[in-house]
Amino acid sequence: MKTAFNAGGGRSHSGRWRQVKEQEMSRETIFKTVYQYNKEPVSKLDMEKLLEIAKDYNSVKNYVYCKYSKINGLAKIYPGYTVQNEMTRSGLREKLGLPSVYFYLAIFDALGDIKSRWAHVKARVEKNIRSNPNLTQEERHYLRFVMKQSQCFESILTGAEISLTGDWKRTFDEIRAGMDEHRLNQYLRRQIRRHLTQSHTDAAEGFSVSAKAYRYADHGIYLAMKEKRQRLFIPLTDNNRYTRQIYIRLHPEEGNITIGVPLEVKAKHREGYCNEVGLAVGMRCMFVTSTGNRYGEKFLEYQAALTDYVRERVPRHRRNAANNPGRKKYTAGKARLEAALHTYINGEINRMLDTEKPKMLYFPKLPGTSKAGVNRRYNASASMWQKGYMKSRLTQKCRERSIELTEVFGKGIGSECSGCGAEGEKVEGTFHCKACGLELPERENTARNVLKRGKSEKSEKKI
């Protein structure tokens, strides 16, 4: 029988082949969420049963957040079975009367949030380490090492002795030589405490459901309830059936539910997608391509509507917080405006891809949010600019169409002439190059430079 590893501990030819095939398959498939909807309004009594599960599911998550999202819980959250066993012994499931199919999903849902929070905290701390002028290169190297080595990281945060063996110990001894470990460890602890916050959620909007807790039949779905051997039937608008973990989102005011089903599907290779295109990205217009086309010219209108809504209502809520019964109306209004913005973004991305038909799309690295300027309304829009959502949707839609999306270095890309490479000037939206006389809309010039840099970086990688 073939084995994936040889006697020396290295990966054999069959193991390497399997790894290559898995990588190829990961590029050929994508994960996306499909949705199912109830055909008839859910009765008030049935919705109360679903809300009770969501509330208990939320309680389990908050319990896990409270107990394991702090520094002392760091050693237990990977891979998470210690937390699972402790939660089983806690008696919380029996107290809530929550079926195990919901209880354990809530635990690992919360653990996923905690792990994401730790990843975010580490990224913030690493950024501060890079930008701290009082640290030498050797000290930065020490801090980066102890943050990546889990045993070192946990020991420093908890004040325990660092105990490494073998190659790890030899490497750590070399890195720590001559370091003021006490000062550096104290600095790391302060940074972690500054950025680490405890997760908490008050929104009992839904819950995850394992395949064991539901079944499709009779043009609908049967969901396990808190009562033993009881299932709630909900008729659906389609007859699709799935056998995987799903998420139930509740809309009690309308009497509706939304079922989110994550699926792995094959990426589509669209015919005629053969072009290489550069993008210039902005707020006033989402995209200008290297071909001179413009997409998302009403983006700022949608963004400003959301920004103005938040900017006007948040101070009013804060002034009347003592007499305000809640933020339900504000949250609903914000959600409507965000949904309209997201619909517009998705529609314009689809229109751009269907028109340009790229096989290669070059995308500039987006800048951080700037606080410069005197226009408060524009600054508020810039701070709420949903560039992360726009980038994630562009990435997803490119994967669905088998388009290769490449991010290029963006510094100085707008002031360079796309014709000759000389420094030019921008006047009232037009780029002028005195060296070669080129005149173009400044965003189109930027998009052409994105295309040039993308092609150049690609050829350098091949060499």
Side-chain angles (χ1 to χ4, degrees):
M1 184 177 68
K2 291 183 179 180
T3 179
F5 292 89
N6 59 32
R11 192 176 289 272
S12 70
H13 289 295
S14 65
R16 286 193 293 269
W17 179 84
R18 186 180 295 111
Q19 186 180 38
V20 170
K21 292 299 291 182
E22 288 175 353
Q23 291 173 349
E24 290 177 354
M25 289 177 64
S26 68
R27 289 193 294 266
E28 291 295 318
T29 60
I30 59 172
F31 287 94
K32 63 184 300 183
T33 302
V34 299
Y35 296 96
Q36 294 182 293
Y37 305 93
N38 54 300
K39 188 176 182 179
E40 302 170 0
V42 179
S43 69
K44 186 175 181 181
L45 179 62
D46 289 343
M47 183 60 73
E48 287 177 356
K49 293 180 180 179
L50 294 173
L51 286 170
E52 186 177 357
I53 293 175
K55 182 180 177 182
D56 291 345
Y57 191 94
N58 215 40
S59 297
V60 175
K61 289 180 65 176
N62 283 328
Y63 187 95
V64 175
Y65 290 150
C66 180
K67 193 169 183 181
Y68 300 101
S69 65
K70 301 173 184 177
I71 290 174
N72 290 336
L74 183 59
K76 298 180 179 180
I77 64 175
Y78 296 98
Y81 297 112
T82 301
V83 175
Q84 180 183 6
N85 294 334
E86 290 185 3
M87 289 294 293
T88 300
R89 295 192 295 268
S90 70
L92 181 62
R93 187 174 80 83
E94 291 76 13
K95 180 180 178 181
L96 296 173
L98 191 65
S100 60
V101 289
Y102 298 124
F103 182 75
Y104 292 110
L105 282 181
I107 293 172
F108 284 98
D109 194 359
L111 285 176
D113 293 339
I114 294 172
K115 292 173 184 178
S116 297
R117 181 61 61 89
W118 270 108
H120 179 71
V121 168
K122 283 187 174 182
R124 293 283 299 273
V125 173
E126 286 179 356
K127 182 179 179 181
N128 289 347
I129 290 171
R130 287 195 302 270
S131 61
N132 190 332
N134 297 321
L135 295 174
T136 65
Q137 285 298 109
E138 292 76 14
E139 289 172 336
R140 292 191 181 98
H141 184 44
Y142 169 86
L143 290 169
R144 283 193 291 265
F145 176 88
V146 298
M147 286 186 68
K148 286 181 170 58
Q149 215 292 330
S150 58
Q151 205 278 330
C152 284
F153 187 61
E154 294 168 11
S155 297
I156 289 173
L157 294 186
T158 58
E161 183 180 354
I162 299 175
S163 178
L164 299 176
T165 58
D167 292 339
W168 281 118
K169 185 177 187 306
R170 285 190 292 273
T171 302
F172 183 54
D173 288 341
E174 292 174 2
I175 293 173
R176 73 199 296 190
M179 294 290 108
D180 186 350
E181 290 186 66
H182 177 73
R183 180 177 69 86
L184 294 175
N185 293 347
Q186 285 289 83
Y187 170 78
L188 182 59
R189 293 187 192 103
R190 288 197 304 272
Q191 287 290 315
I192 294 296
R193 286 196 297 268
R194 179 180 300 173
H195 297 293
L196 183 63
T197 57
Q198 181 175 306
S199 300
H200 183 82
T201 177
D202 293 319
E205 300 173 332
F207 49 89
S208 296
V209 188
S210 69
K212 294 180 180 180
Y214 69 88
R215 65 181 176 89
Y216 289 97
D218 306 322
H219 306 290
I221 187 171
Y222 287 87
L223 294 174
M225 291 288 99
K226 292 182 69 173
E227 299 85 356
K228 289 185 178 181
R229 299 179 182 178
Q230 293 292 321
R231 294 205 174 208
L232 173 65
F233 175 70
I234 300 174
L236 301 176
T237 55
D238 63 67
N239 292 320
N240 297 330
R241 299 187 177 196
Y242 306 98
T243 55
R244 59 187 62 238
Q245 182 176 311
I246 61 177
Y247 185 82
I248 307 293
R249 184 172 293 278
L250 307 178
H251 309 280
E253 293 181 353
E254 298 84 10
N256 295 328
I257 69 165
T258 303
I259 303 175
V261 185
L263 295 178
E264 185 178 11
V265 298
K266 288 186 177 180
K268 297 178 181 179
H269 295 270
R270 301 287 182 94
E271 291 185 6
Y273 278 61
C274 56
N275 302 316
E276 292 191 67
V277 180
L279 290 182
V281 184
M283 283 184 58
R284 298 185 186 281
C285 177
M286 279 173 55
F287 304 123
V288 176
T289 65
S290 51
T291 57
N293 296 325
R294 300 169 65 86
Y295 304 91
E297 294 185 273
K298 294 183 179 180
F299 175 79
L300 188 58
E301 294 179 19
Y302 284 90
Q303 179 72 68
L306 173 62
T307 304
D308 289 347
Y309 181 86
V310 173
R311 191 165 57 89
E312 291 171 5
R313 282 165 175 75
V314 167
R316 186 187 310 169
H317 172 79
R318 288 173 179 169
R319 287 194 299 269
N320 302 319
N323 302 317
N324 197 321
R327 303 188 69 176
K328 186 178 293 185
K329 186 176 180 181
Y330 162 77
T331 302
K334 182 182 176 183
R336 284 194 298 271
L337 291 171
E338 279 188 335
L341 174 61
H342 291 172
T343 300
Y344 182 72
I345 289 173
N346 282 287
E348 288 301 290
I349 292 176
N350 288 336
R351 188 167 73 89
M352 184 268 293
L353 295 177
D354 291 341
T355 303
E356 302 296 332
K357 292 181 169 49
K359 69 173 181 180
M360 292 286 299
L361 196 61
Y362 299 102
F363 186 83
K365 186 175 182 180
L366 296 176
T369 302
S370 174
K371 297 182 180 179
V374 295
N375 189 327
R376 291 187 177 182
R377 185 183 181 199
Y378 185 80
N379 283 348
S381 294
S383 66
M384 293 185 64
W385 180 22
Q386 298 197 8
K387 55 190 176 185
Y389 177 82
M390 185 169 61
K391 181 179 177 181
S392 68
R393 296 308 300 155
L394 180 63
T395 302
Q396 176 71 11
K397 290 177 182 295
C398 283
R399 290 198 65 191
E400 290 174 0
R401 292 167 169 81
S402 297
I403 299 169
E404 186 174 343
L405 182 64
T406 302
E407 193 174 58
V408 302
F409 183 62
K411 185 176 181 180
I413 206 164
S415 58
E416 182 181 301
C417 175
S418 59
C420 66
E423 190 81 10
E425 59 180 11
K426 294 175 282 187
V427 180
E428 296 181 353
T430 302
F431 179 86
H432 301 269
C433 179
K434 295 181 179 179
C436 68
L438 177 70
E439 286 194 7
L440 277 176
E442 61 175 271
R443 301 286 301 286
E444 183 179 345
N445 179 71
T446 300
R448 290 187 180 187
N449 281 328
V450 171
L451 178 60
K452 284 177 62 178
R453 287 192 186 182
K455 287 183 174 181
S456 176
E457 290 176 7
K458 185 180 178 182
S459 63
E460 288 175 2
K461 288 180 181 177
K462 285 184 178 180
I463 295 173

